[in-house]
């Protein structure tokens, strides 16, 4: 196997995150033993996860791409079934396939096991979280023409999970920022911007307060920016950036963020285009990728058959891009656009009455 340099791997990921231009270096997963189809770990997840992941799988089948799915449990359902939210067989599968389509996993607030999402991203060093957010014709929001790429560092920051009680009533949570992780995510963002003909990268920070940690993140971004004269580079303090995003989202293009700001700002950006039901996501590393929606388990609507499946379906399209089936990914995106434009078969989150299954069937009918 050819050696994958950091730069070529970053480029492959950045390519793979868009329109199927996947460099062969970017794909190192297993093939099915008999079919020759790529082998992909399928994690239905918790809450609405199984409902929307089933939709994504159906649409991938309907577009004619064969995948050898290796279904595995994780999260709350795995804890109940196997006594662990990350069973060994899940890790074995990911080690073998190096690529997964994953539903959301439940993480309890203020108690219980640590986030399995964060654990998997760190375990497989999936350092770049990419979330394309754009206005969809047919979905009514106060904004039009939103077209943003949120790129979030996935492996450190306050998500390092280092917390302890110093004394009763006093706790400490440690924020880790390293030059290595900051530099590679900045390079990923600029490579993504260049490959995908984007004009601007904005690094979002709070270096006026966290002068050392966010200051280091910014210094790394500035150093990387010097290698990309064709891409404009700006910086903005996170609170001001949030205000600007909801007043003038067109002022942004590619957003480069640390882990926590990236988590918060990507939901904000989803809100700009009508909610979490549309926004796909991917976590890329040098040796693999996990594709997952931005939304969580949506416990308030789980099991009712009304979850919007489009985020999962579009996440499936990103998976196809990564596997080198960019044309199939484009066909899925076009079908999603057509269903939304028509506006007849849509779920309640965007004002319709259709269920998850009806909307999935509408996307399949719209495939050309
Ligand atoms: P959430 O994204 O699950 O839900 C927020 C709101 O958006 C809810 O009102 C929900 O009904 C709505 N929503 C989400 N997805 C939708 C869809 N497909 N169609 C229609 N409406 C949808 O966020 P939350 O309630 O803060 O989190 C619930 C659980 O999910 C928590 O345990 C959290 O840790 C977990 N979570 C997991 C991931 C992940 O696995 N990557 C991401 C975010 C949250």
């Amino acid at each position: 196997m050819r050696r994958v340099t950091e730069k070529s791997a970053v480029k492959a990921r950045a390519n793979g995150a868009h329109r199927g231009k996947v460099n062969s270096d970017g794909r190192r997963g297993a093939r099915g033993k008999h079919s020759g189809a790529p082998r992909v770990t399928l994690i239905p997840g918790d809450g609405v996860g199984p409902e929307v992941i089933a939709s994504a799988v159906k649409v991938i089948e309907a577009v004619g791409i064969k995948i050898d799915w290796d279904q595995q449990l994780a999260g709350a359902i795995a804890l109940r079934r196997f006594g662990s939210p990350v069973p060994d067989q899940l890790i074995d599968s990911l080690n073998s396939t190096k690529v997964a389509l994953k539903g959301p996993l439940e993480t309890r607030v203020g108690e219980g096991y640590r986030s399995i999402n964060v654990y998997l991203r760190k375990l497989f060093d999936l350092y770049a979280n990419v979330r394309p957010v754009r206005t969809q014709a047919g979905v009514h929001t106060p904004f039009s023409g939103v077209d943003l790429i949120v790129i979030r560092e996935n492996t450190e920051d306050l998500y390092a999970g280092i917390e302890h009680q110093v004394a009763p009533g006093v706790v400490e949570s440690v924020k880790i920022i390293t030059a290595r992780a900051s530099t590679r995510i900045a390079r990923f963002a600029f490579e993504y911007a260049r490959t995908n003909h984007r004009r601007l990268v904005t690094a979002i920070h709070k270096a006026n307060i966290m002068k050392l940690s966010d200051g280091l993140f910014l210094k790394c971004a500035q150093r990387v920016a010097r290698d990309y004269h064709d891409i404009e580079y700006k910086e903005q303090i996170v609170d001001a950036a949030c205000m600007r995003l909801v007043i003038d989202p067109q002022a942004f293009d590619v957003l480069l963020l640390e882990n926590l700001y990236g988590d918060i700002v990507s939901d904000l950006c989803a809100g700009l285009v009508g909610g979490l039901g549309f926004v796909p996501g991917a976590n890329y590393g040098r040796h693999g990728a996990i594709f997952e929606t931005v939304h969580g388990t949506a416990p308030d609507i789980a099991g009712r058959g009304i979850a919007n499946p489009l985020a999962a379906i579009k996440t499936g399209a990103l998976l196809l891009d990564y596997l080198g089936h960019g044309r199939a990914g484009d066909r899925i995106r076009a079908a999603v656009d057509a269903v939304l434009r028509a506006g007849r078969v849509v779920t309640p989150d965007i004002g319709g009455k259709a269920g998850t299954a009806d909307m999935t069937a509408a996307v399949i009918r719209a495939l050309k």
Side-chain angles (χ1 to χ4, degrees):
M1 195 173 289
R2 261 172 54 194
R3 199 173 146 264
V4 183
T5 63
E6 180 71 14
K7 205 161 179 176
S8 74
V10 163
K11 202 166 190 167
R13 297 291 123 31
N15 284 341
H18 180 81
R19 305 277 169 223
K21 289 181 266 168
V22 181
N23 179 326
S24 58
D25 285 345
R27 171 79 186 115
R28 301 179 123 201
R31 299 252 145 206
K33 267 194 191 123
H34 306 296
S35 60
R39 203 144 180 269
V40 174
T41 303
L42 185 70
I43 307 167
D46 299 319
V48 296
E51 304 166 47
V52 296
I53 289 294
S55 297
V57 168
K58 274 192 191 140
V59 172
I60 289 172
E61 275 167 11
V63 84
I65 302 299
K66 293 211 172 352
I67 293 185
D68 181 8
W69 300 108
D70 181 20
Q71 185 160 323
Q72 297 290 338
L73 297 183
I77 187 171
L79 181 65
R80 285 195 296 275
R81 189 84 57 87
F82 303 117
S84 164
V86 260
D88 289 348
Q89 54 268 41
L90 165 72
I91 301 302
D92 290 346
S93 173
L94 289 169
N95 269 323
S96 156
T97 64
K98 308 212 181 316
V99 58
L101 178 61
K102 179 188 141 311
L105 301 176
E106 177 189 305
T107 312
R108 293 261 164 88
V109 175
E111 58 171 24
Y113 53 82
R114 280 175 52 193
S115 165
I116 303 307
N117 302 307
V118 174
Y119 175 78
L120 292 175
R121 291 169 194 158
K122 285 180 71 172
L123 185 67
F124 293 99
D125 200 22
L126 304 175
Y127 66 92
N129 184 299
V130 178
R131 294 167 164 181
V133 182
R134 71 176 167 88
T135 302
Q136 297 268 183
V139 181
H140 300 293
T141 71
F143 305 97
S144 60
V146 178
D147 183 8
L148 302 168
I149 304 291
V150 180
I151 296 186
R152 160 187 174 194
E153 204 291 319
N154 241 353
T155 62
E156 53 183 31
D157 191 1
L158 283 159
Y159 287 54
I162 305 169
E163 290 192 311
H164 48 260
Q165 181 171 299
V166 179
V170 183
V171 295
E172 199 169 63
S173 200
V174 180
K175 171 163 172 155
I176 306 277
I177 297 292
T178 66
R180 175 178 173 271
S182 303
T183 301
R184 71 177 176 171
I185 194 67
R187 195 160 293 285
F188 183 99
F190 277 94
E191 281 296 330
Y192 185 100
R194 182 176 275 172
T195 310
N196 295 292
H197 312 293
R198 295 273 168 170
R199 61 188 164 83
L200 165 69
V201 172
T202 306
I204 293 174
H205 65 93
K206 192 77 185 173
N208 51 329
I209 304 298
M210 279 159 279
K211 293 174 195 293
L212 271 185
S213 53
D214 285 19
L216 175 61
F217 181 79
L218 274 191
K219 271 191 205 123
C220 295
Q222 289 159 5
R223 238 177 265 136
V224 171
R226 283 187 217 123
D227 294 338
Y228 296 84
H229 299 292
D230 49 327
I231 314 282
E232 196 184 346
Y233 171 68
K234 287 187 180 168
E235 294 170 354
Q236 194 144 125
I237 293 174
V238 62
D239 36 348
C242 288
M243 188 227 17
R244 193 85 198 277
L245 273 164
V246 297
I247 288 181
D248 181 18
Q250 282 88 358
F252 297 88
D253 187 6
V254 175
L255 310 183
L256 166 62
L257 306 106
E258 294 168 7
N259 208 341
L260 177 63
Y261 309 144
D263 195 0
I264 296 167
V265 169
S266 40
D267 274 36
L268 184 154
C269 290
L272 297 177
V273 298
L276 286 161
F278 309 99
V279 185
N283 305 286
Y284 299 102
R286 284 187 69 187
H287 305 293
I290 294 182
F291 294 82
E292 62 181 345
T293 60
V294 175
H295 70 72
T297 60
D300 50 339
I301 56 167
R304 292 171 53 196
I306 56 165
N308 186 336
L310 296 186
I313 290 171
K314 287 168 76 178
T315 298
L318 287 180
L319 166 71
L320 294 186
D321 291 346
Y322 182 77
L323 296 174
H325 295 295
R327 297 239 342 240
D330 284 345
R331 285 174 59 210
I332 292 176
R333 282 180 281 266
V336 166
D337 290 351
V339 168
L340 286 173
R341 220 177 304 114
R344 283 189 298 274
V345 189
V346 293
T347 42
D349 57 311
I350 42 172
K353 291 199 169 114
T356 311
D358 302 325
M359 205 174 186
T360 306
V363 172
I364 291 172
R365 280 195 301 275
L367 283 172
K368 291 211 175 84

